[in-house]
């Protein structure tokens, strides 16, 4: 009987078997890592909703002129062409040139001019008077015009204003409601009321024809609250838009007691006003 005698120490074989098993396990792991593993489906994580206050206040919208009372539906007012009149023209003629200093009687309507002021001459020519040459007086406005050509008897026939803004007057018996402002020259729709922390406030409102509110006072049981139009634009048809009344302090205190009496000044915008020289 042959015996195979090994020089290996006792216990070597079990150790070798253990190392072989570990090696095979590592090979299996390496093979698994070399093969793409399917990615398990994951549900998208939805963030936990956070409760926050909701602001239901809509942004302030400009009044526009779609809500305005049409000009034909407001009480008739004066014709600015009849309120304005040329009271005097002083001519100076020298070496074929003519200068004219035109005195325009405004009738106390406190006009404000547009960008175009035309001077119509007797020979059919039209020139433009520079706004800086217009001097405002109490009831008389002096307008300087000049020509360096034309016949010796050249004179001014008329003045044409693209736009004239003038004061209609003050309605001492007006009434302010939450949805409208009633005056003798028309009712102004109230589109939005704005209350401020200092008890002041504002109203967005629409025009009555081509009329706006320019200076007023509200009577709250003897306490006077001033208000006026801060700014406005004009549409292509001269209808005022983007109008807002700003009220002084005490406005929010007065709101629960509306309607309230008021004195309201009204201003009107007129277009294409021709004033002829009589």
């Amino acid at each position: 009987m042959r015996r195979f005698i090994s020089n290996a120490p006792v216990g070597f074989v079990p150790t070798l078997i253990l190392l072989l098993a570990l090696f095979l396990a590592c090979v299996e792991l390496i093979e698994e890592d070399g093969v793409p593993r399917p990615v398990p489906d994951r549900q998208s994580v939805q963030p936990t909703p956070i409760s926050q206050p909701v602001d239901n206040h809509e942004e302030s919208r400009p009044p526009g002129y779609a809500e305005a009372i049409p000009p034909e539906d407001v009480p008739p007012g004066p014709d600015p062409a009849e309120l304005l009149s040329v009271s005097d023209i002083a001519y100076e003629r020298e070496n074929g040139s003519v200068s004219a200093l035109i005195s325009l009687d405004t009738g106390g309507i406190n006009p404000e001019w547009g960008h175009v002021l035309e001077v119509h001459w007797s020979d059919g020519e039209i020139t433009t008077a520079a706004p800086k040459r217009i001097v405002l007086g109490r009831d008389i406005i002096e307008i300087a015009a000049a020509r360096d050509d034309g016949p010796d008897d050249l004179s001014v026939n008329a003045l044409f204003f693209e736009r004239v803004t003038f004061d209609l007057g003050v309605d001492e018996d007006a009434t302010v409601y939450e949805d409208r402002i009633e005056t003798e020259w028309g009712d102004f729709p109230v589109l939005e009321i704005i209350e401020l922390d200092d008890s002041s406030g504002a109203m967005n409102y629409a025009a009555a024809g081509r009329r706006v509110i320019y200076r007023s006072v509200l009577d709250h049981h003897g306490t006077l609250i001033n208000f006026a139009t801060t700014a406005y634009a004009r549409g292509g048809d001269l209808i005022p838009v983007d109008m807002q009344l700003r009220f002084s302090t005490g406005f929010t205190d007065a709101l629960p007691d509306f309607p309230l009496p008021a004195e309201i000044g009204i201003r009107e915008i007129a277009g294409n006003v021709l004033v002829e020289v009589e």
Side-chain angles (χ1 to χ4, degrees):
M1 181 177 185
R2 290 184 180 181
R3 294 185 180 180
F4 293 93
I5 300 174
S6 173
N7 293 327
V10 179
F12 174 78
V13 173
T15 302
L16 182 62
I17 295 172
L18 177 61
L19 291 174
L20 180 60
L22 291 175
F23 175 78
L24 294 175
C26 291
V27 171
E28 183 179 358
L29 290 174
I30 292 173
E31 290 176 352
E32 288 182 1
D33 288 341
V35 177
R37 298 177 180 178
V39 178
D41 293 337
R42 295 181 179 179
Q43 299 294 330
S44 59
V45 179
Q46 299 296 332
T48 303
I50 300 175
S51 177
Q52 294 188 6
V54 177
D55 185 5
N56 291 323
H57 179 71
E58 296 180 357
E59 294 184 0
S60 299
R61 59 189 177 93
Y65 58 84
E67 299 92 345
I69 305 299
E72 59 270 18
D73 292 341
V74 301
D79 183 353
E82 295 179 358
L83 297 176
L84 304 173
S85 61
V86 176
S87 60
D88 183 59
I89 302 179
Y91 292 99
E92 290 187 3
R93 308 175 189 274
E94 183 178 1
N95 298 327
S97 63
V98 177
S99 62
L101 185 62
I102 307 165
S103 297
L104 185 69
D105 190 344
T106 65
I109 64 172
N110 188 28
E112 296 179 1
W113 313 116
H115 297 293
V116 175
L117 167 57
E118 294 179 351
V119 180
H120 294 205
W121 299 86
S122 56
D123 63 349
E125 292 294 321
I126 297 175
T127 61
T128 301
K132 65 181 180 181
R133 301 296 297 276
I134 301 176
V135 182
L136 297 179
R138 179 180 297 271
D139 292 327
I140 298 293
I141 294 177
E142 293 183 338
I143 303 169
R147 289 275 304 277
D148 57 4
D149 58 354
D152 294 338
D153 58 349
L154 186 66
S155 61
V156 175
N157 277 357
L159 299 175
F160 175 81
F161 300 91
E162 184 183 65
R163 185 178 74 241
V164 175
T165 303
F166 62 96
D167 297 345
L168 282 172
V170 177
D171 183 356
E172 299 180 354
D173 298 315
T175 305
V176 178
Y177 296 81
E178 289 189 0
D179 62 345
R180 69 191 185 280
I181 301 171
E182 292 184 354
T183 77
E184 64 176 298
W185 288 293
D187 296 348
F188 298 83
V190 173
L191 306 176
E192 183 181 14
I193 295 177
I194 302 170
E195 301 181 45
L196 302 178
D197 293 337
D198 61 354
S199 80
S200 65
M203 281 183 173
N204 289 338
Y205 75 103
R210 297 182 177 89
R211 297 170 184 173
V212 299
I213 298 170
Y214 73 93
R215 191 169 54 245
S216 309
V217 62
L218 184 69
D219 185 355
H220 182 215
H221 305 316
T223 299
L224 301 183
I225 302 170
N226 297 315
F227 63 102
T229 294
T230 55
Y232 60 90
R234 303 175 182 89
D237 49 7
L238 298 183
I239 298 294
V241 298
D242 297 346
M243 294 180 299
Q244 186 178 83
L245 293 173
R246 293 300 301 268
F247 290 80
S248 61
T249 55
F251 170 70
T252 57
D253 299 331
L255 275 175
D257 295 329
F258 274 26
L260 290 174
E263 292 185 2
I264 295 180
I266 306 297
R267 181 168 288 172
E268 182 166 358
I269 304 168
N272 301 330
V273 177
L274 182 66
V275 181
E276 297 181 351
V277 177
E278 297 180 354

